[in-house]
C-alpha cells in the first residue's frame, strides 16, 4: 500500500459530519450552506436531466460552460482569458489533485501556507513534492516577506496558494499578494491558486486573482467552484483556468482522474453564470448577515471570535473565550455531549500541535445558528 495514504486518517470534514449525524448534532463543521441556492439553476439541472443530457460530457467541459467561465472572469475580474484555457472538473478538489499531479516533478519543493485545506499536503507528497511551509498564525494570519523568503529557494517548483484562505478566513491584501507574486517571478515558480471563495468576501472587500499580478498570468492555474458560487456544494462542479501550455498538461491529468463532469449540472451552471450583479450582491449580503448574527451570538455567550474577512467560516479563540481546553478536545466533546459539530484548526497544520482555534460554519439559517449557539454555550460550560 502507498505509505502516504496508509498513514491518512479520514478527512476531518467526513469525520465530523459523520459524528454530527450519529449524535444528531448541529453541523457547523464541514462548510456547506443550508440556504441560498437559486431555484432557477436547480430547475435548469432538472430539465437537462429530463431532456437527455446524461451521457459523457466533453473531457474539458461543455463549450457553453467553458465560455461562460471565461466570460465570468473577463467581466468580473478583468482576466484576459478564453474558453480554451478552461477545464471543467468534478469539484475543486479534483482540480487541485489534477493540477498537483500535472505540475509537480518528484523532488520539486512546494510552498504551502498552513493552516492547510486538508487535501493539499497528502496530494503534494503523493506527487513527490517536498513541502516548504509559510506558517500563518492567528490572530492576524499575515504573510510576511521574512517567512516567504525562508520558504522559497532555487529548488522551488510550485506554490500552492489559497485566497480567500480557508480556514483562516483571511482575504490577503494587495501588499501580501504582491509579495507572493514577486517570489514566484523571482524564483520562476508555477502557482496553483485555489480561489474557490472568490465571491464570498465581506465588508466591501474585492477579490484580486493571483493571475492578475505582474508576471503571474503565464504561470498560474486558478481554481474555481460552482458549489461555492451557487451554494450547491454537493454538485461538485469546479474548474481550472490556465495559460495554454498549463491548460494542456492540466487536462492530461484530469482526463485520467474524473475524465468529465455531469453534463446536466454543467448546463445549469453555465446558465447560472449568466446572472447579473444583484445575484452576487445578495448572495454576499445573505452570508454577511449570517456572519454578523453568528458573531453577535458568540459574543453574547462569552466567546471571542477572530475577524472573518471571507469564506463561510468564523474562528473562535478558545483561550481568549475562557475555555481551558485545546481545540481537538473541545470539538470532540462538543459533538458528543453538546450537540454541536465544529472543526479544530490544529488538524490543518502539518505537524500536530494543539491550537486554541475552532472553525465554525456560519452559512446557515437563523434557526440552525441559534441551535448551534446553544450547543456551543453548553460546550463552553464544560471547560470552565
Ligand atoms: N471546503 C469544505 C470545508 O472547508 C469541505 C470540503 C470537503 O468536505 N471535502 O469545510
Amino acid at each position: 500500500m502507498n505509505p502516504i495514504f496508509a498513514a491518512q486518517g479520514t478527512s476531518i470534514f467526513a469525520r465530523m459530519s459523520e459524528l454530527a449525524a450519529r449524535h444528531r448534532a448541529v453541523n457547523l463543521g464541514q462548510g456547506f450552506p443550508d440556504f441560498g441556492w437559486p431555484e432557477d439553476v436547480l430547475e435548469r439541472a432538472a430539465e437537462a436531466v429530463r431532456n437527455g443530457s446524461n451521457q459523457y460530457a466533453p473531457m474539458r467541459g461543455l463549450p457553453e460552460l467553458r465560455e461562460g467561465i471565461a466570460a465570468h472572469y473577463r467581466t468580473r475580474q478583468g482576466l484576459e482569458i478564453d474558453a480554451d484555457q478552461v477545464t471543467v472538473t468534478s469539484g475543486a478538489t479534483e482540480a487541485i489533485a489534477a493540477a498537483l499531479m500535472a505540475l509537480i516533478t518528484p523532488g520539486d519543493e512546494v510552498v504551502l501556507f498552513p493552516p492547510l485545506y486538508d487535501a493539499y499536503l497528502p496530494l503534494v507528497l503523493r506527487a513527490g513534492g517536498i513541502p516548504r511551509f509559510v506558517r500563518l498564525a492567528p490572530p492576524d494570519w499575515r504573510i510576511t516577506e521574512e517567512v516567504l523568503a525562508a520558504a522559497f529557494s532555487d529548488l522551488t517548483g510550485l506554490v500552492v496558494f489559497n485566497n480567500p484562505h480557508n480556514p483562516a478566513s483571511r482575504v490577503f491584501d494587495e501588499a501580501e499578494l504582491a509579495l507572493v507574486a514577486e517570489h514566484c517571478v523571482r524564483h520562476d515558480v508555477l502557482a496553483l491558486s485555489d480561489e474557490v471563495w472568490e465571491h464570498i468576501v465581506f465588508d466591501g472587500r474585492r477579490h484580486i486573482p493571483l493571475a492578475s499580478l505582474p508576471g503571474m498570468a503565464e504561470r498560474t492555474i486558478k481554481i474555481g467552484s460552482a458549489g461555492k458560487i451557487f451554494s450547491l456544494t454537493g454538485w461538485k462542479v469546479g474548474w481550472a483556468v490556465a495559460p495554454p501550455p498549463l491548460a494542456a498538461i492540466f487536462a492530461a491529468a484530469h482526463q485520467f482522474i474524473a475524465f468529465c463532469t455531469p453534463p446536466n449540472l454543467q448546463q445549469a451552471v453555465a446558465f447560472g453564470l449568466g446572472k447579473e450583479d444583484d445575484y452576487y450582491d445578495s448572495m454576499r449580503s445573505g452570508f454577511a448577515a449570517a456572519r454578523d448574527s453568528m458573531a453577535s451570538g458568540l459574543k453574547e455567550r462569552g466567546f471571542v471570535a477572530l475577524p472573518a474577512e471571507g469564506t463561510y467560516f468564523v474562528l473562535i479563540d478558545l483561550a481568549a473565550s475562557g475555555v481551558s481546553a485545546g481545540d481537538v478536545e473541545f470539538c470532540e466533546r462538543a459533538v458528543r455531549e453538546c450537540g454541536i459539530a465544529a472543526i479544530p484548526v490544529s488538524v490543518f497544520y502539518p505537524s500536530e500541535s494543539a491550537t486554541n482555534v475552532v472553525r465554525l460554519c456560519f452559512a446557515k439559517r437563523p434557526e440552525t445558528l441559534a441551535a448551534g449557539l446553544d450547543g456551543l454555550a453548553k460546550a463552553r460550560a464544560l471547560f470552565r
Side-chain angles (χ1 to χ4, degrees), residues 11 13-14 29-31 93 117-118 166 197 228 236 313 359:
S11 152
F13 305 120
Q30 191 177 30
T93 302
Y117 179 64
D118 71 342
N166 174 18
W197 302 101
K228 303 296 188 285
K236 300 298 288 180
F313 309 111
R359 194 194 82 169

Side-chain angles (χ1 to χ4, degrees), residues 85-361:
Q85 294 174 243
V86 179
T87 308
V88 178
T89 61
S90 290
T93 302
E94 194 243 319
I96 291 162
L100 294 173
M101 282 193 211
L103 299 183
I104 295 174
T105 302
D108 282 350
E109 293 193 356
V110 178
V111 173
L112 298 138
F113 296 75
L116 296 172
Y117 179 64
D118 71 342
Y120 297 164
L121 187 57
L123 292 171
V124 165
L125 293 170
R126 188 65 185 89
I130 299 167
R132 292 286 177 248
F133 297 114
V134 175
R135 194 185 157 98
L136 306 177
D140 57 353
W141 315 98
R142 275 199 82 76
I143 297 174
T144 64
E145 163 94 64
E146 204 186 344
V147 275
L148 275 184
F152 278 78
S153 79
D154 292 344
L155 301 175
T156 312
L158 177 69
V159 51
V160 179
F161 192 56
N162 172 217
N163 184 42
H165 189 284
N166 174 18
S169 302
R170 271 293 324 272
V171 177
F172 297 114
D173 65 25
E174 283 179 47
E176 292 169 292
L177 294 175
L179 277 177
V180 172
E182 279 161 26
H183 280 76
C184 289
V185 171
R186 189 181 309 149
H187 294 277
D188 196 17
V189 164
L190 299 174
L192 170 58
S193 192
D194 173 353
E195 301 181 9
V196 297
W197 302 101
E198 57 200 346
H199 291 293
I200 326 270
V201 298
F202 304 120
D203 310 317
R205 288 185 179 79
R206 206 171 51 83
H207 176 72
I208 304 171
L210 190 64
S212 70
L213 277 94
M216 291 308 290
E218 61 267 36
R219 63 179 73 246
T220 302
I221 294 189
K222 169 184 167 83
I223 302 221
S225 162
K228 303 296 188 285
I229 296 178
F230 300 113
S231 299
L232 296 166
T233 60
W235 280 23
K236 300 298 288 180
V237 177
W239 51 77
V241 179
L246 296 183
I249 194 167
F250 178 89
H254 159 74
Q255 67 186 335
F256 298 133
I257 305 177
F259 182 69
C260 65
T261 298
N264 31 53
L265 301 183
Q266 292 194 51
Q267 275 183 305
V269 169
F271 163 78
L273 287 178
K275 287 184 177 296
E276 305 293 334
D277 284 354
D278 59 350
Y279 169 75
Y280 295 89
D281 294 342
S282 72
M283 185 247 294
R284 258 190 298 275
S285 56
F287 289 133
R291 176 200 64 166
D292 293 345
S293 127
M294 181 74 162
S296 60
L298 286 168
K299 196 167 175 200
E300 281 162 21
R301 287 161 183 79
F303 285 102
V304 173
L306 305 182
E309 300 175 349
T311 79
Y312 292 155
F313 309 111
V314 64
L315 302 170
I316 49 179
D317 179 331
L318 293 178
S321 307
V323 174
S324 56
D327 58 347
V328 172
E329 188 190 0
F330 180 86
C331 291
E332 292 292 335
R333 288 193 63 189
V335 69
R336 289 185 168 80
E337 298 170 40
C338 309
I340 170 73
I343 302 278
V345 168
S346 59
V347 303
F348 299 118
Y349 283 100
S351 48
E352 280 293 316
S353 60
T355 73
N356 293 320
V357 184
V358 166
R359 194 194 82 169
L360 303 168
C361 177

